[in-house]
Amino acid sequence: MDTLLDLFKFKKIRGKLFILTTVITLIPMLFISIAVYRISADRLMLKAEEQSFAAGSIANQYLDRILVDFRDLFNVIISSSQIQCTLTGSSDQVCQNVQAANDESDYSYIRNSYRINNAMNTITQSKSYVVRYVIYHMTAPPEWRLYGTYISPSEAEDWYKELGENNMPLIRDGRSLDQNRKENGEMMLVGKLLKRTGGDFEPLGFIILEINKERFFEGFSFLNADEKSRFMIADKDGKLLYSLPNANEEKEMNAALYAAARQANPHAGQFVSINRQWMGAVQQSQLFGWSIMHVIDAGSLSEDARSIRTIIIWIFIGTLVFGLLLANWISGTIRRPLNRLSLLIKVNGSIDPPSIVRFDEKDEVGQIGRRFLRMIDENKALNEQVYNALMKRKEAEIHALQAQINPHFLYNTLESLKWLAFSRNQPDISDVIGKLGKYFRLTINKGNQTIAVQEELDHALAYFQVQNFRYTDRFDLIFSFEDDISRYLVPKFIIQPIVENAIYHGLKEKEGQGTIVISGEVEAGILSFRITDDGQGITPERIKEITDALDAEETSVTYGLKNVHDRLKLGFGQGFGVSITSEPGLYTTIKLAMPAIMESGGAAHEPNDAANDETSGKGFDR
């Protein structure tokens, strides 16, 4: 259970990847499933509607055909010469073969009945749905007006009156000409006015046909109606005449559905909902105004859509399970190398990493792990190098302490020679030996690498005095400082090598007296020294050569300048060091730039800041 909960811990990489993969799988599949289901359901519903309208259209066409046939049947009966001649008593050329009797006798009525019955049998012999008929002759005596099946005179009068008013066929559904069973749901009566076919087309009476609805509508069996797909046929007044399926147990259901459909008031070509369970469409015949309604179980319309929904749900569940398994596997492939890397970092303090840690070089995390292993090996090598360097540094310090013995010995020796020369009345030699001794004493400086500015200037002055003694006072040394900078600390031996270069490369070959000016200032935390001589100067080409040599790794040019430049740059960073300006035949100025560091340990300007600040070298010529 805890392992399963770990998969959903968002703080862990495995949980993040697991949730991410799950969401990427779940959300698109959810939307796709809903969209596919809705589109499928809509398409299937539309297709079902089209099929329903198509079935209704075919049924309506068939209804038109049987109604046309039914209308033609009436026309054949009305236009029958035997019936017309019998009822009109005409003796024209058409009726000459019919022995019309002008006498009003029972024999004449029987003869007429025989002729009409014979004509009706001939006409309706192919119409199995015609069960009985009545022909009413209004101009005959009351007792001889009815032919065929008997109906009461009052009923006949009602028929005639209504047919005369409407001049349209009349339908009595569920009625029969059988006097013993006038109410019969399997039958319907259809009546039409019977007129003369010649002359003034005056009404002669009417004709009523009793129709067996089962036989009349039996041609609709091709529709394959069932409990989910029903058809209802209604007359022009909307009264239900026939329905499919026509089993007794289905008739009540059909009647209820038709009543509900009538309340929905569907129009031709419109698909409407009926009681939320059924869908119905109606189409109307143009002949008698009859209509046919097709009602479909709404559940059957969406049955395929439900099947698709079930399939989509199972696909969704399968995809979700597969996505969860895939997310677990993918997160595991990332988690395992990260765990190995974490284990490696935890044991990094040990000298040898565990041999069980293995990384796949094709995996990004594995590449990091392999690089970390290499870093461990490199750190071991660097530790060894640092250790060796520290050992060598200790040895160098020991050698440096030992090397201080030689300047001490030389300094003591020079002091002895100074007093010897003084005792023998050689003041010049005594003075120069004293200055040379002072130079070596400043060189020792108790082993410190930084000294005060004043001590560095004293060291440069001692060196100058020795050289000036050698060249018989050919040179002058001038110190020019506007501010007191004697309290600042500088690396030792940074001015003396510049003074030495000024004497040997600037003033030595000059005729006459030469001058060296040393000036200094502090500005924006930068301590600058300028050592200027009025010697022969340096050409621009030579300046470029010297400048390039200062920044080179190794060079044999300008050893003293490069030594000073490297020590300033390595000690304080980029932006500090040596720069040169010169005018051939006039002067040469060497500028030294470094942070202004106080004797108390404070700094007027941090070295690192100066090293990184391109604008900090104000006045620093490049």
Side-chain angles (χ1 to χ4, degrees), residues 94-335:
V94 175
C95 299
Q96 64 182 354
N97 294 326
V98 179
Q99 297 180 1
N102 295 323
D103 59 329
E104 296 178 355
S105 63
D106 290 337
Y107 292 104
S108 176
Y109 174 71
I110 294 172
R111 186 169 54 249
N112 290 342
S113 295
Y114 173 78
R115 291 172 182 170
I116 291 175
N117 187 62
N118 187 48
M120 290 297 296
N121 290 336
T122 302
I123 295 171
T124 62
Q125 65 180 349
S126 61
K127 310 300 180 183
S128 61
Y129 52 79
V130 178
V131 179
R132 299 177 181 86
Y133 73 91
V134 171
I135 292 179
Y136 178 73
H137 186 202
M138 60 172 289
T139 59
E143 66 272 16
W144 295 336
R145 290 181 179 180
L146 293 174
Y147 297 94
T149 305
Y150 174 81
I151 61 173
S152 65
S154 60
E155 187 178 2
E157 289 295 332
D158 291 340
W159 274 93
Y160 182 75
K161 182 178 179 181
E162 190 171 355
L163 284 169
E165 291 176 353
N166 295 329
N167 197 25
M168 291 289 293
L170 294 180
I171 299 175
R172 295 287 188 269
D173 185 46
R175 297 288 299 277
S176 174
L177 293 176
D178 186 355
Q179 297 302 306
N180 297 319
R181 190 185 177 189
K182 289 188 176 183
E183 301 294 333
N184 189 343
E186 297 179 358
M187 303 297 175
M188 70 176 179
L189 301 179
V190 181
K192 189 173 183 181
L193 203 62
L194 196 155
K195 296 181 180 181
R196 292 177 181 269
T197 57
D200 55 6
F201 300 102
E202 292 180 356
L204 296 174
F206 61 83
I207 180 172
I208 298 176
L209 297 179
E210 182 179 349
I211 305 299
N212 185 305
K213 293 190 291 186
E214 184 69 27
R215 297 174 187 173
F216 185 76
F217 294 109
E218 64 181 356
F220 284 96
S221 59
F222 73 92
L223 295 174
N224 296 321
D226 55 23
E227 65 275 4
K228 293 185 178 180
S229 178
R230 302 170 183 267
F231 291 87
M232 292 87 170
I233 300 172
D235 62 12
K236 63 184 180 65
D237 296 325
K239 185 177 180 181
L240 182 63
L241 299 177
Y242 189 75
S243 62
L244 291 171
N246 197 34
N248 291 330
E249 60 272 13
E250 298 291 346
K251 290 182 179 181
E252 184 177 351
M253 180 65 179
N254 291 341
L257 281 177
Y258 182 75
R262 290 277 295 173
Q263 292 180 357
N265 193 24
H267 302 287
Q270 183 183 11
F271 212 62
V272 297
S273 175
I274 304 172
N275 294 337
R276 298 184 180 180
Q277 183 182 356
W278 300 86
M279 301 293 291
V282 64
Q283 299 191 45
Q284 192 167 20
S285 173
Q286 299 299 324
L287 295 176
F288 289 87
W290 289 14
S291 59
I292 184 166
M293 179 176 292
H294 185 200
V295 178
I296 308 173
D297 186 358
S300 64
L301 293 180
S302 58
E303 185 175 352
D304 292 337
R306 288 197 300 269
S307 300
I308 293 175
R309 179 180 63 186
T310 302
I311 294 173
I312 290 176
I313 290 174
W314 281 110
I315 293 176
F316 174 77
I317 294 174
T319 304
L320 178 60
V321 172
F322 177 77
L324 294 176
L325 296 176
L326 181 64
N328 184 43
W329 177 74
I330 292 176
S331 62
T333 59
I334 298 176
R335 175 182 54 85

Side-chain angles (χ1 to χ4, degrees), residues 45 155 158 215 284 354 358 398 433 492 509 513 532 542 588:
M45 182 64 72
E155 187 178 2
D158 291 340
R215 297 174 187 173
Q284 192 167 20
R358 296 289 185 271
I398 294 174
I433 290 174
K492 66 180 181 180
E509 303 297 331
Q513 196 73 15
T532 303
R542 179 59 179 167
T588 299

Side-chain angles (χ1 to χ4, degrees), residues 26-37:
L26 180 63
I27 294 179
M29 191 61 195
L30 180 61
F31 281 104
I32 290 173
S33 300
I34 295 174
V36 169
Y37 171 69

Side-chain angles (χ1 to χ4, degrees), residues 312-508:
I312 290 176
I313 290 174
W314 281 110
I315 293 176
F316 174 77
I317 294 174
T319 304
L320 178 60
V321 172
F322 177 77
L324 294 176
L325 296 176
L326 181 64
N328 184 43
W329 177 74
I330 292 176
S331 62
T333 59
I334 298 176
R335 175 182 54 85
R336 284 188 290 271
L338 287 175
N339 285 343
R340 289 195 290 266
L341 183 60
S342 176
L343 176 62
L344 185 61
I345 294 174
K346 289 179 181 179
V347 300
N348 187 27
S350 63
I351 296 180
D352 295 322
S355 58
I356 59 174
V357 179
R358 296 289 185 271
F359 293 100
D360 184 2
E361 61 182 7
K362 296 181 180 180
D363 178 70
E364 289 82 355
V365 180
Q367 293 174 3
I368 296 175
R370 292 174 67 87
R371 290 173 185 170
F372 192 80
L373 288 173
R374 287 199 298 270
M375 185 183 70
I376 291 177
D377 295 337
E378 292 172 357
N379 284 342
K380 289 175 61 179
L382 289 174
N383 287 335
E384 293 178 358
Q385 292 177 6
V386 170
Y387 176 78
N388 295 332
L390 290 175
M391 294 301 296
K392 291 180 180 179
R393 181 178 177 180
K394 292 295 182 182
E395 294 177 359
E397 289 177 354
I398 294 174
H399 289 305
L401 291 174
Q402 292 176 347
Q404 291 180 9
I405 297 175
N406 294 331
H408 273 288
F409 172 74
L410 185 58
Y411 166 70
N412 292 331
T413 302
L414 290 174
E415 283 293 315
S416 298
L417 291 176
K418 170 186 174 182
W419 289 110
L420 179 62
F422 183 78
S423 63
R424 296 191 178 184
N425 199 22
Q426 296 290 332
D428 292 338
I429 295 176
S430 175
D431 185 54
V432 72
I433 290 174
K435 288 179 172 54
L436 186 60
K438 181 179 180 182
Y439 174 79
F440 281 110
R441 179 175 58 82
L442 294 173
T443 300
I444 296 171
N445 192 34
K446 300 179 182 180
N448 296 327
Q449 298 300 317
T450 57
I451 59 177
V453 171
Q454 186 60 54
E455 294 183 45
E456 179 64 16
L457 294 176
D458 290 343
H459 182 227
L461 177 61
Y463 173 81
F464 177 81
Q465 289 174 341
V466 172
Q467 292 294 335
N468 207 24
F469 177 81
R470 174 185 175 187
Y471 289 101
T472 61
D473 295 328
R474 285 182 54 195
F475 313 129
D476 293 327
L477 179 63
I478 301 174
F479 293 97
S480 177
F481 298 97
E482 295 182 0
D483 300 323
D484 182 13
I485 61 173
S486 61
R487 295 179 293 105
Y488 291 100
L489 297 178
V490 296
K492 66 180 181 180
F493 299 136
I494 60 171
I495 297 180
Q496 181 269 327
I498 311 302
V499 174
E500 183 178 350
N501 280 351
I503 293 174
Y504 280 100
H505 299 291
L507 302 179
K508 180 179 177 182

